[in-house]
Amino acid sequence: MKRNTITKRRRMESDEGGLVEIERFKSCSRTYIVKNKEEIIDYNVFFNYVSEMLISRLTQSSQQSAIKLNLYVDSTYEQLLTDEVQDMSFKTSNVLASKSSNFNSLLNKMFNKLLSEEAQFISKKSGWSLKSIDCLQLRVNKVNPLKGGSTYLDLPSHIKKKKQL
């Protein structure tokens, strides 16, 4: 089954505020988005602004089963000398969590990872300045680990006989 991906332009079309579900894949994967309606231009302030919404959603999502989650932040950068504008996205890798996880600590580690990615971008691409933080996506996937069966299958007799020789 092919998964439809939503472009940044389409994600930004919605006028809803808060944490909004924008994509669902079967019953195992959901993507939520928080737009920067307050037009915050500092990552730390923006992360503080969205963290309570994320913790609430993660607590609710992890009640049924373990989850894997990652964050994805969309931003726009501007080259001050040339007035060139570039969309940039920073993301974290998947992190396993359960209902007993400390989501506040987990999100702080993920936010630090996003900040380090942004710092690497700034150091590599000299002259770029943050124009806007557009949105943050929370991607949540249910974890359904395979379970070993309790079925015992006896070896066929011709294989057992080989072992006895």
Side-chain angles (χ1 to χ4, degrees):
M1 176 177 231
K2 187 176 179 185
R3 184 176 189 162
N4 294 332
T5 54
I6 297 175
T7 63
K8 179 179 176 181
R9 178 176 290 144
R10 196 159 146 231
R11 285 192 299 266
M12 298 308 293
E13 286 175 356
S14 169
D15 287 333
E16 295 181 51
L19 191 63
V20 178
E21 183 178 322
I22 60 166
E23 185 178 19
R24 182 183 293 197
F25 183 70
K26 296 187 179 181
S27 65
C28 61
S29 175
R30 294 182 182 191
T31 302
Y32 303 92
I33 188 171
V34 179
K35 287 189 189 176
N36 187 0
K37 296 266 188 191
E38 305 296 317
E39 298 182 6
I40 300 167
I41 302 187
D42 181 276
Y43 281 109
N44 288 314
V45 174
F46 181 67
F47 292 151
N48 286 334
Y49 170 72
V50 300
S51 66
E52 286 302 317
M53 288 183 266
L54 298 177
I55 290 170
S56 174
R57 174 57 61 193
L58 291 171
T59 303
Q60 183 182 12
S61 297
S62 65
Q63 293 303 312
Q64 303 298 327
S65 69
I67 57 173
K68 280 189 176 181
L69 65 124
N70 72 333
L71 298 176
Y72 191 95
V73 72
D74 288 323
S75 304
T76 304
Y77 284 82
E78 177 177 43
Q79 177 64 264
L80 297 176
L81 299 174
T82 62
D83 289 333
E84 183 182 348
V85 176
Q86 179 178 356
D87 289 334
M88 279 302 300
S89 298
F90 306 110
K91 61 184 174 183
T92 65
S93 55
N94 277 330
V95 175
L96 185 64
S98 65
K99 63 182 172 184
S100 63
S101 297
N102 181 347
F103 291 116
N104 194 27
S105 171
L106 194 63
L107 286 174
N108 282 334
K109 288 178 186 175
M110 296 174 89
F111 291 155
N112 288 334
K113 166 74 168 90
L114 293 171
L115 289 172
S116 71
E117 272 196 34
E118 193 260 350
Q120 286 177 348
F121 169 74
I122 294 296
S123 68
K124 285 182 185 176
K125 302 243 182 174
S126 178
W128 288 93
S129 174
L130 178 63
K131 182 177 179 182
S132 67
I133 301 170
D134 302 321
C135 66
L136 180 125
Q137 292 179 56
L138 168 65
R139 297 175 178 174
V140 179
N141 300 296
K142 287 185 181 178
V143 175
N144 188 10
L146 297 174
K147 297 178 183 173
S150 60
T151 305
Y152 171 75
L153 297 175
D154 196 22
L155 286 174
S157 59
H158 68 280
I159 295 176
K160 278 186 186 178
K161 288 178 186 175
K162 286 182 184 178
K163 197 172 187 180
Q164 293 173 354
L165 297 175

